[in-house]
Amino acid sequence: MSAQEIRGAEITFDEFVTATAGRLLRTAVFLVYDRHLAEDLLQTAYERVARRWKRVSGGNPEAYARRVLVNLAIDENKRRARRRDTPVGSVADVERLAGAPPAAGAAGGDLDELLRALPAKQRAVVVLRYWCDLEEKEIAETLGISRGTVKSHTARAMAALREHMKEGRA
C-alpha cells in the first residue's frame, strides 16, 4: 500500500504497520546508520502512533510516524554525540534484508560515510528530500522548521557532500 493510498483510508493500525514498515525502516537507517537502533526507533515511533491512532488515522498517519521517527533520530544523534559511540551496521544491511538493490553508482561505504559526516538535521533533510521524495513543505512540517530553513539545510548539506566528493576524487 503506497503512502497516498494510506492517507485518509480507513485502515487498522496493523495494516498501517504492515504497509509502512519497509519504507520507514529504510528511512530510519539512513537517519541513524545503525540497523538495530533504527529498528528500536521505529518500534518507539509505532508505539507513539498507536497511542494516537484514532486521532491520526483519518489524516496522514505515515507523515505523523515519519515526523516522530525523525525527531527520535535527531534526539538519538545528540545523545550519541555526547557519548561518542561508534555506530554499527550499514545501509547495505537493510538493503540486503529488504531485497532492494543498492544505490546505483555509489559504493556502499562511500555513501554511508558522506551522509554520516553531516549534522543530524542536514542529514534528516537530505534523507527526507532525496530518499523519501518529500517536498520542501512536507519536510518543513515533518521537522517543525520553516521552508527557508529546509532550503538552507539542503544547500549546506549538498555543498558539504560535493566538497567531500571533490576531495575524494583528488
Short mmCIF file of all heavy atoms in Angstrom, two decimals, residues 136-163:
data_model
loop_
_atom_site.label_atom_id
_atom_site.label_comp_id
_atom_site.label_asym_id
_atom_site.label_seq_id
_atom_site.Cartn_x
_atom_site.Cartn_y
_atom_site.Cartn_z
N GLU A 136 9.56 20.38 -0.07
CA GLU A 136 10.05 21.27 0.99
C GLU A 136 8.99 21.51 2.06
O GLU A 136 9.29 21.50 3.25
CB GLU A 136 10.48 22.61 0.40
CG GLU A 136 11.76 22.54 -0.40
CD GLU A 136 12.05 23.82 -1.14
OE1 GLU A 136 11.21 24.76 -1.12
OE2 GLU A 136 13.13 23.89 -1.74
N LYS A 137 7.76 21.70 1.64
CA LYS A 137 6.68 21.96 2.59
C LYS A 137 6.50 20.77 3.54
O LYS A 137 6.34 20.96 4.75
CB LYS A 137 5.38 22.24 1.83
CG LYS A 137 4.20 22.51 2.72
CD LYS A 137 2.94 22.73 1.93
CE LYS A 137 1.76 22.89 2.89
NZ LYS A 137 0.50 22.88 2.19
N GLU A 138 6.51 19.56 3.00
CA GLU A 138 6.34 18.37 3.82
C GLU A 138 7.52 18.17 4.77
O GLU A 138 7.34 17.77 5.92
CB GLU A 138 6.19 17.13 2.94
CG GLU A 138 4.93 17.12 2.11
CD GLU A 138 4.92 16.01 1.08
OE1 GLU A 138 5.88 15.93 0.29
OE2 GLU A 138 3.96 15.22 1.09
N ILE A 139 8.72 18.47 4.30
CA ILE A 139 9.91 18.36 5.15
C ILE A 139 9.82 19.38 6.29
O ILE A 139 10.09 19.05 7.45
CB ILE A 139 11.20 18.57 4.34
CG1 ILE A 139 11.35 17.46 3.29
CG2 ILE A 139 12.42 18.60 5.25
CD1 ILE A 139 12.42 17.73 2.26
N ALA A 140 9.42 20.59 5.97
CA ALA A 140 9.28 21.62 6.99
C ALA A 140 8.28 21.20 8.05
O ALA A 140 8.53 21.36 9.25
CB ALA A 140 8.86 22.94 6.34
N GLU A 141 7.15 20.64 7.62
CA GLU A 141 6.14 20.17 8.57
C GLU A 141 6.68 19.01 9.41
O GLU A 141 6.45 18.95 10.61
CB GLU A 141 4.88 19.75 7.83
CG GLU A 141 4.11 20.89 7.22
CD GLU A 141 2.99 20.45 6.29
OE1 GLU A 141 2.78 19.23 6.11
OE2 GLU A 141 2.32 21.33 5.73
N THR A 142 7.39 18.10 8.77
CA THR A 142 7.93 16.95 9.47
C THR A 142 8.93 17.35 10.55
O THR A 142 8.90 16.84 11.66
CB THR A 142 8.61 15.98 8.48
OG1 THR A 142 7.63 15.50 7.55
CG2 THR A 142 9.22 14.79 9.19
N LEU A 143 9.81 18.29 10.21
CA LEU A 143 10.86 18.70 11.14
C LEU A 143 10.45 19.87 12.04
O LEU A 143 11.18 20.22 12.97
CB LEU A 143 12.12 19.08 10.37
CG LEU A 143 12.78 17.95 9.58
CD1 LEU A 143 13.96 18.48 8.79
CD2 LEU A 143 13.20 16.83 10.51
N GLY A 144 9.31 20.48 11.74
CA GLY A 144 8.88 21.62 12.55
C GLY A 144 9.74 22.85 12.34
O GLY A 144 10.01 23.60 13.27
N ILE A 145 10.19 23.05 11.10
CA ILE A 145 11.02 24.20 10.76
C ILE A 145 10.40 24.91 9.56
O ILE A 145 9.47 24.40 8.94
CB ILE A 145 12.48 23.78 10.44
CG1 ILE A 145 12.53 22.76 9.29
CG2 ILE A 145 13.15 23.22 11.69
CD1 ILE A 145 13.94 22.31 8.89
N SER A 146 10.93 26.07 9.21
CA SER A 146 10.39 26.81 8.07
C SER A 146 10.93 26.24 6.76
O SER A 146 11.94 25.54 6.74
CB SER A 146 10.76 28.29 8.17
OG SER A 146 12.15 28.45 7.93
N ARG A 147 10.24 26.59 5.66
CA ARG A 147 10.71 26.15 4.34
C ARG A 147 12.07 26.74 4.03
O ARG A 147 12.91 26.10 3.40
CB ARG A 147 9.70 26.53 3.26
CG ARG A 147 8.43 25.68 3.33
CD ARG A 147 7.43 26.08 2.29
NE ARG A 147 7.92 25.71 0.97
CZ ARG A 147 7.29 25.99 -0.15
NH1 ARG A 147 6.17 26.66 -0.12
NH2 ARG A 147 7.79 25.62 -1.31
N GLY A 148 12.32 27.96 4.46
CA GLY A 148 13.63 28.59 4.25
C GLY A 148 14.75 27.82 4.94
O GLY A 148 15.84 27.67 4.40
N THR A 149 14.46 27.32 6.14
CA THR A 149 15.45 26.53 6.87
C THR A 149 15.69 25.21 6.15
O THR A 149 16.83 24.73 6.09
CB THR A 149 14.99 26.30 8.32
OG1 THR A 149 14.76 27.57 8.94
CG2 THR A 149 16.02 25.54 9.11
N VAL A 150 14.64 24.63 5.60
CA VAL A 150 14.81 23.40 4.81
C VAL A 150 15.73 23.67 3.63
O VAL A 150 16.67 22.91 3.36
CB VAL A 150 13.44 22.86 4.30
CG1 VAL A 150 13.64 21.75 3.29
CG2 VAL A 150 12.59 22.39 5.45
N LYS A 151 15.50 24.79 2.95
CA LYS A 151 16.34 25.15 1.80
C LYS A 151 17.79 25.35 2.21
O LYS A 151 18.71 24.87 1.54
CB LYS A 151 15.81 26.42 1.13
CG LYS A 151 14.49 26.23 0.40
CD LYS A 151 14.01 27.55 -0.17
CE LYS A 151 12.66 27.43 -0.81
NZ LYS A 151 12.19 28.70 -1.38
N SER A 152 18.01 26.06 3.32
CA SER A 152 19.39 26.32 3.73
C SER A 152 20.07 25.04 4.20
O SER A 152 21.25 24.82 3.89
CB SER A 152 19.45 27.40 4.81
OG SER A 152 18.84 26.97 6.00
N HIS A 153 19.36 24.17 4.93
CA HIS A 153 19.95 22.89 5.33
C HIS A 153 20.30 22.05 4.10
O HIS A 153 21.36 21.43 4.05
CB HIS A 153 18.99 22.09 6.23
CG HIS A 153 18.99 22.52 7.66
ND1 HIS A 153 20.11 22.91 8.35
CD2 HIS A 153 17.98 22.57 8.57
CE1 HIS A 153 19.80 23.20 9.59
NE2 HIS A 153 18.51 23.02 9.75
N THR A 154 19.40 22.04 3.12
CA THR A 154 19.65 21.27 1.90
C THR A 154 20.87 21.83 1.17
O THR A 154 21.75 21.06 0.75
CB THR A 154 18.42 21.31 0.97
OG1 THR A 154 17.29 20.80 1.67
CG2 THR A 154 18.65 20.46 -0.27
N ALA A 155 20.93 23.14 1.02
CA ALA A 155 22.05 23.76 0.31
C ALA A 155 23.37 23.47 1.02
O ALA A 155 24.37 23.10 0.38
CB ALA A 155 21.83 25.26 0.19
N ARG A 156 23.39 23.61 2.34
CA ARG A 156 24.63 23.36 3.09
C ARG A 156 25.03 21.89 3.00
O ARG A 156 26.22 21.57 2.84
CB ARG A 156 24.45 23.76 4.54
CG ARG A 156 24.42 25.26 4.74
CD ARG A 156 24.32 25.63 6.21
NE ARG A 156 24.08 27.05 6.34
CZ ARG A 156 23.11 27.58 7.06
NH1 ARG A 156 22.30 26.80 7.75
NH2 ARG A 156 22.97 28.87 7.12
N ALA A 157 24.05 21.01 3.13
CA ALA A 157 24.35 19.57 3.07
C ALA A 157 24.88 19.19 1.69
O ALA A 157 25.88 18.46 1.59
CB ALA A 157 23.10 18.76 3.40
N MET A 158 24.24 19.68 0.65
CA MET A 158 24.69 19.34 -0.70
C MET A 158 26.07 19.93 -0.98
O MET A 158 26.89 19.29 -1.63
CB MET A 158 23.66 19.80 -1.74
CG MET A 158 22.30 19.11 -1.61
SD MET A 158 22.41 17.31 -1.55
CE MET A 158 22.88 16.96 -3.23
N ALA A 159 26.33 21.13 -0.48
CA ALA A 159 27.66 21.73 -0.66
C ALA A 159 28.72 20.89 0.06
O ALA A 159 29.80 20.65 -0.49
CB ALA A 159 27.67 23.17 -0.13
N ALA A 160 28.41 20.44 1.26
CA ALA A 160 29.35 19.60 2.01
C ALA A 160 29.57 18.27 1.29
O ALA A 160 30.71 17.79 1.21
CB ALA A 160 28.82 19.36 3.42
N LEU A 161 28.50 17.69 0.77
CA LEU A 161 28.64 16.42 0.04
C LEU A 161 29.48 16.62 -1.23
O LEU A 161 30.34 15.80 -1.54
CB LEU A 161 27.26 15.85 -0.30
CG LEU A 161 26.43 15.37 0.89
CD1 LEU A 161 25.03 14.97 0.43
CD2 LEU A 161 27.11 14.22 1.61
N ARG A 162 29.23 17.70 -1.96
CA ARG A 162 30.01 17.97 -3.18
C ARG A 162 31.48 18.16 -2.83
O ARG A 162 32.35 17.65 -3.52
CB ARG A 162 29.47 19.23 -3.88
CG ARG A 162 28.30 18.96 -4.76
CD ARG A 162 27.94 20.20 -5.59
NE ARG A 162 26.51 20.26 -5.74
CZ ARG A 162 25.68 20.98 -5.01
NH1 ARG A 162 26.13 21.78 -4.07
NH2 ARG A 162 24.39 20.93 -5.20
N GLU A 163 31.74 18.93 -1.79
CA GLU A 163 33.12 19.19 -1.38
C GLU A 163 33.82 17.88 -1.00
O GLU A 163 34.96 17.65 -1.37
CB GLU A 163 33.16 20.18 -0.21
CG GLU A 163 34.54 20.59 0.22
CD GLU A 163 35.30 21.32 -0.89
OE1 GLU A 163 34.67 22.02 -1.71
OE2 GLU A 163 36.53 21.17 -0.93
#
